């Protein structure tokens, strides 16, 4: 079946540290891959996406590359800020009688000043 | 950007009663809406998909008679939890997809507590 596995949190970093949140997936075919971010009290927002192998999604200093050979889509940022504190969800989307989005469990990030 | 609202944000109800959660797309027409359930420290689990004017499609294991979904207009979908029990306590999130593209926009969620 289709599934997404991401690293368990919480992840606590100091401001300006390097961030990696690992995400691997299992899927048949060629899904699109996404990272969503959820700030406290708000809904999920699309952070970035990639629709085919070797695509790199980027936004707000975050990046992730669609790696088909390792079935991974790790999220990275070179220098985190306190405002990046949130929960990050990795997700895949594929057609299965309609578009279905499957989410990972989410990783909470705390950034300390 | 596209905004999806949910109401209420929190609700507490007694066991055996029913509660309705509204999901609205505020600045776009949502041809498809999705309802998710999220348990603490777990991922969002898709409960059902609804297209405007037609019956919802429920995921395996989701009781359609317990979780009634209505998508009567292009801007409103409702989820009614009927005869709620404490195990229905959860965070319910709706998502909407517009007529163009396949982006999903998410509401802020509704925390349901059944006592």
């Amino acid at each position: 079946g289709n599934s997404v596995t991401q690293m368990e949190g919480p992840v606590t970093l100091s401001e300006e540290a390097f961030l990696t949140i690992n995400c691997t997936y299992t899927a048949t075919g060629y899904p699109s891959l996404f990272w969503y971010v959820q700030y406290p009290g708000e809904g999920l927002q699309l952070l970035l996406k990639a629709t085919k192998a070797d695509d790199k999604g980027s936004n707000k200093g975050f990046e992730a590359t669609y790696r088909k050979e390792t079935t991974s889509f790790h999220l990275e940022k070179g220098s985190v800020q306190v405002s990046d504190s949130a929960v990050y969800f990795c997700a895949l989307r594929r057609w299965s009688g309609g578009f279905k989005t499957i989410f990972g469990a989410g990783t909470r990030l705390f950034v300390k000043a | 950007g596209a905004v999806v609202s949910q109401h209420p944000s929190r609700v507490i109800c007694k066991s055996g009663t029913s509660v309705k959660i509204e999901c609205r797309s505020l600045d776009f027409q949502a041809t498809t809406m999705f309802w998710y359930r999220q348990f603490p420290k777990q991922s969002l689990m898709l409960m059902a998909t609804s297209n405007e004017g037609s019956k919802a499609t429920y995921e395996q294991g989701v009781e359609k008679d317990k979780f009634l979904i209505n998508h009567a207009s292009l801007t409103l979908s409702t989820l009614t939890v009927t005869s709620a029990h404490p195990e229905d306590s959860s965070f319910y999130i709706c998502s909407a997809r517009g007529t163009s593209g396949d982006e999903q926009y998410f509401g802020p969620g509704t925390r349901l507590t059944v006592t």
Side-chain angles (χ1 to χ4, degrees):
Chain A
N2 303 305
S3 65
V4 176
T5 302
Q6 59 183 107
M7 64 189 286
E8 221 174 295
V11 173
T12 303
L13 296 173
S14 297
E15 212 166 17
E16 299 184 4
F18 184 85
L19 168 71
T20 300
I21 300 178
N22 290 336
C23 171
T24 57
Y25 68 90
T26 303
T28 54
Y30 302 94
S32 295
L33 301 176
F34 301 81
W35 277 100
Y36 286 88
V37 58
Q38 186 177 32
Y39 298 104
E42 298 183 20
L44 273 72
Q45 301 173 25
L46 178 64
L47 181 60
L48 53 84
K49 68 178 182 181
T51 57
K52 60 182 188 298
D54 299 325
D55 265 3
K56 177 187 280 188
S58 61
N59 185 26
K60 300 181 181 180
F62 291 89
E63 291 183 341
T65 302
Y66 190 142
R67 301 280 188 207
K68 190 161 174 25
E69 64 276 13
T70 54
T71 62
S72 65
F73 193 55
H74 304 321
L75 182 68
E76 297 182 335
K77 186 174 185 181
S79 175
V80 293
Q81 306 301 312
V82 172
S83 57
D84 292 327
S85 298
V87 181
Y88 293 82
F89 291 89
C90 184
L92 68 83
R93 186 174 302 157
R94 63 183 299 271
W95 180 267
S96 176
F99 277 112
K100 291 194 176 176
T101 305
I102 297 166
F103 290 88
T107 302
R108 185 174 294 277
L109 171 66
F110 292 106
V111 180
K112 303 180 296 185
Chain B
V3 178
V4 176
S5 70
Q6 279 185 243
H7 178 78
S9 57
R10 289 177 181 270
V11 57
I12 300 173
C13 70
K14 291 186 186 292
S15 192
T17 62
S18 296
V19 61
K20 180 185 286 188
I21 302 169
E22 290 186 351
C23 176
R24 293 182 186 273
S25 56
L26 298 186
D27 50 4
F28 68 102
Q29 293 186 325
T31 50
T32 306
M33 284 189 169
F34 307 86
W35 285 95
Y36 294 85
R37 184 172 177 177
Q38 186 181 23
F39 293 99
K41 300 183 180 180
Q42 295 187 29
S43 65
L44 283 71
M45 302 299 296
L46 180 64
M47 299 174 66
T49 303
S50 73
N51 293 297
E52 185 263 339
S54 60
K55 288 185 180 179
T57 302
Y58 289 80
E59 295 299 300
Q60 195 171 12
V62 178
E63 299 175 61
K64 59 183 68 174
D65 293 332
K66 180 164 188 61
F67 299 100
L68 301 178
I69 291 171
N70 184 283
H71 189 170
S73 78
L74 284 171
T75 58
L76 173 65
S77 177
T78 60
L79 167 68
T80 301
V81 183
T82 62
S83 187
H85 290 285
E87 57 264 31
D88 298 325
S89 298
S90 192
F91 196 56
Y92 292 88
I93 299 173
C94 76
S95 172
R97 185 156 67 97
T99 54
S100 60
D102 67 347
E103 289 306 329
Q104 278 182 255
Y105 302 97
F106 289 82
T110 297
R111 169 89 46 206
L112 169 64
T113 303
V114 183
T115 60

